């Protein structure tokens, strides 16, 4: 059974940093693109970042470029999101998802972790 | 990349059908047969319901169907049930050098 479990969310002050983690089980992690998607309170879904299996291709939404870094450790079957220079508008539930690139589809999602940026 | 356009809400009585539209451009919805639909209940993670316009993952009831014409995709839920009440989001592939793009979301209410 495919499972994705996020961790690392919490309350952080504006300008601060946070690192999210996503532990994957039930599939060959190193064979799949992975993604981060976020959802601000009461709002819709926003695609944040994609990362290819070997890290050779990475894409970010414009609003996080230069501040967020997506990375992965295939040996640990884990995906990460380093978030720096956090802003109030980054407050959201952050989901880790498996990305099937040939269909452009996020086929499995984690339960999400809440990041709150506030003083 | 602009969000795909969905109606904010849709409703129907139990047993009836509801159809949700998802309008994009030739750079996303119209350019690829890679439209997906996700169901999200309050406080829960999104769940994949339709992929590649009209394909259903294992375990998704055949009451859920998808289609596409030009730059607009649609999700139809037939034989509406109480548990279908949720938010629905479409998404589309937008090219090999881009992230995917989501729709604005539609709240489906079972009357």
């Amino acid at each position: 059974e495919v499972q994705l479990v996020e961790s690392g969310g919490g309350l952080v002050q504006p300008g601060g940093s946070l690192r999210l983690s996503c532990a994957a089980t039930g599939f060959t992690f190193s064979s799949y693109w992975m993604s981060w998607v976020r959802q601000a309170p009461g709002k819709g879904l926003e695609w944040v970042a994609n990362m290819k299996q070997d890290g050779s291709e990475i894409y970010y939404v414009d609003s996080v470029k230069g501040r967020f870094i997506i990375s992965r450790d295939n040996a640990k079957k884990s995906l990460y999101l380093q978030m720096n220079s956090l802003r109030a508008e980054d407050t959201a539930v952050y989901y880790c998802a498996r990305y099937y690139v040939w269909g452009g589809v996020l086929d499995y999602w984690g339960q999400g972790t809440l990041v709150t940026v506030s003083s | 990349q602009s969000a795909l356009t969905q109606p904010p809400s849709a409703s129907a009585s139990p047993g009836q059908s509801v159809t949700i539209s998802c309008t994009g451009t030739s750079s996303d919805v119209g350019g690829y047969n890679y439209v997906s639909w996700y169901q999200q209940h309050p406080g829960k993670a999104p769940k994949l319901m339709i992929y590649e316009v009209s394909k259903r993952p294992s375990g998704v009831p055949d009451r859920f169907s998808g289609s596409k014409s030009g730059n607009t995709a649609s999700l139809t839920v037939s034989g509406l049930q109480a548990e279908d009440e949720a938010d629905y989001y479409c998404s589309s592939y937008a090219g090999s050098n881009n992230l995917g793009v989501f729709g604005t979301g539609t709240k489906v209410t079972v009357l």
Side-chain angles (χ1 to χ4, degrees), chain A residues 95 109-112, chain B residues 39-41 43-47:
Chain A
Y95 296 101
W109 297 62
Q111 84 288 351
Chain B
Q39 177 191 65
Q40 186 180 34
H41 288 109
K44 301 295 186 182
K47 174 188 175 184

Side-chain angles (χ1 to χ4, degrees), chain B residues 37-56:
Chain B
W37 289 90
Y38 302 89
Q39 177 191 65
Q40 186 180 34
H41 288 109
K44 301 295 186 182
K47 174 188 175 184
L48 178 65
M49 304 301 285
I50 295 286
Y51 67 101
E52 293 180 19
V53 176
S54 60
K55 298 179 180 179
R56 281 187 310 276

Side-chain angles (χ1 to χ4, degrees), chain A residues 7-83:
Chain A
S7 60
L11 175 63
V12 61
Q13 292 188 338
S17 298
L18 211 56
R19 189 195 195 207
L20 305 183
S21 299
C22 171
T25 57
F27 66 102
T28 305
F29 181 75
S30 59
S31 297
Y32 289 86
W33 285 68
M34 295 296 294
S35 300
W36 287 100
V37 174
R38 68 183 178 182
Q39 186 171 35
K43 302 297 184 181
L45 300 171
E46 180 180 40
W47 212 307
V48 174
N50 282 349
M51 186 172 196
K52 194 176 180 179
Q53 293 92 325
D54 61 0
S56 60
E57 293 185 50
I58 291 174
Y59 304 101
Y60 297 100
V61 67
D62 285 347
S63 59
V64 309
K65 284 180 181 175
R67 300 189 300 122
F68 288 12
I69 301 172
I70 186 173
S71 64
R72 63 193 294 163
D73 185 331
N74 287 339
K76 294 183 177 180
K77 301 180 182 180
S78 293
L79 180 72
Y80 306 100
L81 187 66
Q82 177 66 43
M83 303 185 295

